Amino acid sequence: MKSLLLIIVPLAAAALALLWPQNRTRPVILPVAATLHALLSWWLLLDPPTVAAGAWLGFDPLARAVLPVVSVLFLVCAWYGVTYLKLRGERPNRVFVAALLAVLGLLSAGHQARHLGLLWIFTEAVTLAAVPLLHFNGTPRAFEATWKYLLVGGTGIALSLIGSLCLGYASLYGGGGGDLTFVALISQGAGLSRPWVLIAWVLLLVGYGTKMGLAPMHTWKPEAYGEAPGIVGAILAGGVTSVAFTAILRVRAVVGAAGEGPVADHTLLAIGLFSMLVAALFLLGTRDFKRMLAYSSVEHMGILSIGAALGGAGVAAALFHVWSNGLTKGALFLSAGNIRRAAGSASMDEVRGMSALTPRSAAIFVTGMFAVTACPPFGPFFSELKVVRAALEGGHGVATAMFLGCLLLAFFGLTRVVFAIVDGRPRSATKQGGKRFVETAGVILPPLVLLGMSLWLGLFTPRVLQEVWSAAVAQLYPKP
Amino acid sequence: MNSNLNLLIGLAMGLNLLALGSSRLPTLIRAMSAQGVILGAMPVLMDHEPDWRVALVALATIAGKGLVIPGLLRRAMRTVQIDRELEPLIGFVPSMLLGAGGAIAALALTHLLPLLPEHAGSLLVPGALATMLTGFILLIGRTKAISQVCGYLILENGIYLFGLLLIKAMPLMVEAGVLLDVTVGVFIIGIIVDRIQRAFDSLDTRKLTALRE
């Protein structure tokens, strides 16, 4: 019941936001619903319910390993959102607030979906619900970004539906009775028709990979993250991508049960390394610090994919990385949003000296940048270390070398952009006419809290989380 | 029975070529919606005993693809006053040739796939593959937003055709979700098209190039 409330509470709050008459007070619904959601999800984390084997929806170990961090990230973003929407008081926020809450509810449903078709429906619904968020700014560039997001995302979602149908046919051909829950598909195992499973795997990997933002299907990401408000970027990068990742993990378990696990792992490794390489190269070229964050997100999706390719230890490391990357990226997106507002531009050609104009946001941005490029002692360092260890234990020497090389290139790319906007003397032209951006607690504390949590995750990874991640691995790789 | 079905699928495949070869948007919309209606009627013809769930799916598909979506698209076309695709990225004759070649390849490919005996003789799988390919060609090869939306809808038609393989085994919920998503998706795309028009005064997605490295 509590696991259903995780879905119902945000959706009900979204409906309330649609009906709420006042533009000024409406954003308060965000933190209220998010607090309830976070309390519920952490309660379920500490006291996991038993999920019936054939249930279509349930707070199973995999949902338990990912959903709480999405919930926390959303909670912090919700607090930031109240201040942000006050700053943007001139724009109507009815649809924006409702869409944010709907995304949270549908994400909770997607993470808990234990049925192939249901999983697809919720992922598709999240994609559609995120559309109003992207063109909140209402500029032509934001519309352009939304169009690309719809076209690329829509194609990806179509491919994953074809993949789901192929997996359904694999089950039907193997004599399955039409039960498309993942448990049933896994128990059918070698009875699934191999050619259909392979076709399904390719289509589902490309389809959900598009949602995740793996190269070469990442093209919507820089546009969307570059033009959407920082709070939306944080939720897309930390929350929406994670539901696509768990979808891939769930499908990977079915493919593994059908006896094609090695093929799946090879493709995951290849697409992961390719994503890291593409992201690293684009990071060396980009001049826009919000697009930079998008490419950094592509890189980290590559890391997740590599982790997923490395078997049990790798998947545990990847789940750890979902947490550390989500929180750190959140801090980066929110502080970048502050800098963007204060500077009036996101290009390093026009922005500099932000350490003088917005000292606190700039400090968080620089620290977050070091955290996300895996400097100790932040979370990403430890999760990436675990991925590397899993790769070396699996005998993937060349892949490890490429992995580390891409990390180094990405580090160069990120430092290049970040220091260009932070250092130097502020442009005199910057924001002379407009209202000066004041760094109130409402816009500084949320990214600071996220950064602090990333540090906490790195220094003192709680035992309960490690148990949760191993439980999820045990669900995906059942002992025979 | 099976031959009736194959006749309809053949008709749908012919409509693919019409969609690929026409430069006029009304023809493209008509081809897409006729295909949707034909596909919508198919599950009723497949089943010997009438089943209200199947009938409901068929009815919803026919209403959506035959009436609602073409209506929305025509309205979008009127507001932006565009009825032709003038400079496609992939020309009309090359796209027709690609589509025809794809249909032949789909027929050949189907022999390589393991199919249940009741599906082996039907055109369902090659029809679905050829229709999906048509959708992709339109998505990639056209520059006007309305043509791309039609391409997406033809892609969805192909997926629907493929889904017919599973209509008996798969729960209704999955299909209902598909229909709902298609409708909502187009609805939103329609709004976006409208907004793009206001922002750019043309429906040319090639002009959407402010964002690049």
Side-chain angles (χ1 to χ4, degrees):
Chain A
M1 186 59 218
K2 283 202 284 288
S3 59
L4 274 183
L5 276 179
L6 280 176
I7 305 167
I8 295 167
V9 165
L11 290 181
L16 181 68
L18 280 180
L19 297 173
W20 197 270
Q22 256 188 319
N23 203 45
R24 197 170 49 83
T25 47
R26 191 181 299 115
V28 178
I29 302 172
L30 281 174
V32 172
T35 309
L36 269 175
H37 189 271
L39 285 176
L40 276 171
S41 69
W42 279 78
W43 188 355
L44 285 168
L45 171 80
L46 299 174
D47 177 22
T50 46
V51 180
W56 283 27
L57 270 175
F59 198 79
D60 60 5
L62 189 55
R64 186 175 164 227
V66 183
L67 195 49
V69 71
V70 176
S71 185
V72 167
L73 178 70
F74 191 92
L75 176 61
V76 178
C77 288
W79 283 108
Y80 182 88
V82 174
T83 321
Y84 173 76
L85 290 172
K86 200 185 281 172
L87 286 174
R88 305 291 311 269
E90 83 284 358
R91 286 198 75 77
N93 57 33
R94 184 188 302 269
V95 177
F96 185 79
V97 172
L100 264 183
L101 289 164
V103 163
L104 178 65
L106 293 167
L107 275 180
S108 313
H111 276 299
Q112 298 189 64
R114 296 161 54 79
H115 182 277
L116 188 65
L118 212 56
L119 175 67
W120 181 83
I121 290 174
F122 289 132
T123 325
E124 157 93 19
V126 169
T127 309
L128 293 176
V131 167
L133 303 177
L134 294 179
H135 64 78
F136 176 66
N137 283 329
T139 58
R141 289 165 64 98
F143 289 134
E144 176 181 343
T146 313
W147 176 254
K148 285 189 180 159
Y149 167 82
L150 262 180
L151 211 60
V152 178
T155 310
I157 220 81
L159 286 173
S160 50
L161 178 58
I162 306 172
S164 303
L165 292 174
C166 287
L167 201 52
Y169 199 76
S171 159
L172 197 66
Y173 189 79
D179 185 355
L180 290 183
T181 54
F182 287 106
V183 174
L185 287 172
I186 288 173
S187 69
Q188 210 182 342
L192 296 166
S193 154
R194 293 262 186 120
W196 283 106
V197 167
L198 284 180
I199 298 171
W201 168 248
V202 172
L203 291 167
L204 285 164
L205 180 64
V206 173
Y208 286 124
T210 309
K211 198 88 226 49
M212 221 175 131
L214 290 168
M217 299 85 74
H218 68 285
T219 46
W220 61 274
K221 245 184 178 177
E223 332 289 22
Y225 291 7
E227 298 309 314
I231 170 178
V232 175
I235 289 166
L236 284 179
V240 177
T241 52
S242 70
V243 78
F245 179 60
T246 50
I248 288 177
L249 285 181
R250 286 183 198 273
V251 174
R252 158 71 185 79
V254 175
V255 177
E260 296 288 358
V263 177
D265 288 345
H266 285 310
T267 45
L268 276 171
L269 188 65
I271 205 168
L273 284 172
F274 184 67
S275 300
M276 286 189 76
L277 188 67
V278 167
L281 293 178
F282 274 100
L283 277 172
L284 288 172
T286 187
R287 307 190 69 75
D288 177 312
F289 61 82
K290 287 183 83 176
R291 294 170 71 90
M292 170 194 89
L293 293 182
Y295 287 120
S296 168
S297 173
V298 173
E299 183 206 349
H300 286 270
M301 292 304 123
I303 295 175
L304 292 185
S305 168
I306 292 170
L310 297 172
V315 171
L319 291 171
F320 183 7
H321 196 67
V322 168
W323 283 64
S324 57
N325 175 51
L327 296 172
T328 318
K329 254 319 139 33
L332 275 170
F333 270 106
L334 296 186
S335 55
N338 291 347
I339 295 175
R340 167 80 180 72
R341 272 206 85 60
S345 164
S347 164
M348 66 189 256
D349 300 321
E350 291 161 32
V351 182
R352 64 189 127 103
M354 294 315 289
S355 58
L357 281 177
T358 52
R360 298 192 187 96
S361 302
I364 295 171
F365 195 51
V366 171
T367 320
M369 186 273 294
F370 280 116
V372 90
T373 50
C375 291
F378 289 94
F381 170 74
F382 291 97
S383 49
E384 286 173 29
L385 192 66
K386 285 201 167 149
V387 174
V388 168
R389 194 183 295 160
L392 287 177
E393 276 168 8
H396 297 281
V398 181
T400 313
M402 278 181 71
F403 178 90
L404 294 173
C406 290
L407 282 185
L408 190 66
L409 285 180
F411 179 73
F412 289 145
L414 284 161
T415 43
R416 184 183 61 93
V417 180
V418 168
F419 285 113
I421 61 161
V422 167
D423 281 345
R425 225 170 342 140
R427 288 210 154 192
S428 50
T430 309
K431 277 278 169 181
Q432 279 297 331
K435 215 168 37 174
R436 211 170 156 270
F437 181 80
V438 187
E439 291 190 296
T440 53
V443 295
I444 293 301
L445 277 182
L448 199 62
V449 165
L450 287 175
L451 200 59
M453 286 171 80
S454 167
L455 187 65
W456 163 73
L457 208 56
L459 288 178
F460 322 95
T461 320
R463 184 177 298 269
V464 60
L465 287 184
Q466 284 171 355
E467 281 165 16
V468 165
W469 297 325
S470 349
V473 170
Q475 180 196 342
L476 293 169
Y477 297 88
K479 295 272 179 301
Chain B
M1 182 56 229
N2 221 347
S3 63
N4 280 346
L5 204 64
N6 280 347
L7 189 70
L8 287 181
I9 298 173
L11 208 60
M13 288 168 85
L15 286 169
N16 283 339
L17 294 183
L18 180 64
L20 285 171
S22 77
S23 69
R24 294 192 64 242
L25 294 183
T27 317
L28 181 56
I29 295 175
R30 218 167 287 141
M32 178 275 296
S33 102
Q35 197 179 44
V37 171
I38 292 172
L39 297 186
M42 229 173 262
V44 184
L45 295 176
M46 276 169 84
D47 241 356
H48 292 286
E49 312 94 66
D51 180 353
W52 67 271
R53 283 168 39 164
V54 173
L56 208 67
V57 171
L59 201 69
T61 310
I62 292 173
K65 289 250 166 72
L67 293 171
V68 182
I69 294 171
L72 278 172
L73 281 171
R74 288 206 186 92
R75 171 180 288 182
M77 216 174 61
R78 268 199 308 276
T79 40
V80 298
Q81 299 182 330
I82 289 175
D83 67 346
R84 257 169 206 287
E85 174 82 43
L86 287 176
E87 300 161 70
L89 297 177
I90 305 174
F92 299 107
V93 176
S95 2
M96 270 179 87
L97 290 176
L98 258 176
I104 294 165
L107 280 168
L109 192 70
T110 307
H111 290 295
L112 302 176
L113 289 170
L115 289 175
L116 289 174
E118 65 261 36
H119 299 139
S122 90
L123 280 173
L124 267 178
V125 177
L129 292 177
T131 312
M132 289 181 210
L133 181 74
T134 306
F136 277 119
I137 295 174
L138 288 172
L139 264 177
I140 298 164
R142 298 289 187 265
T143 55
K144 296 280 185 278
I146 292 179
S147 319
Q148 288 179 340
V149 172
C150 284
Y152 193 73
L153 284 161
I154 289 178
L155 172 64
E156 296 264 15
N157 281 347
I159 298 174
Y160 180 84
L161 202 50
F162 195 76
L164 289 183
L165 289 177
L166 299 162
I167 198 161
K168 286 200 194 106
M170 228 154 83
L172 172 78
M173 204 185 149
V174 176
E175 299 164 7
V178 172
L179 283 171
L180 187 80
D181 285 329
V182 172
T183 321
V184 177
V186 169
F187 190 57
I188 296 183
I189 287 179
I191 297 169
I192 299 289
V193 166
D194 189 27
R195 295 293 183 92
I196 288 182
Q197 198 268 326
R198 252 180 272 166
F200 295 92
D201 289 325
S202 109
L203 262 200
D204 200 332
T205 50
R206 275 173 311 172
K207 293 207 178 126
L208 297 180
T209 50
L211 300 177
R212 56 162 62 153
E213 288 313 320

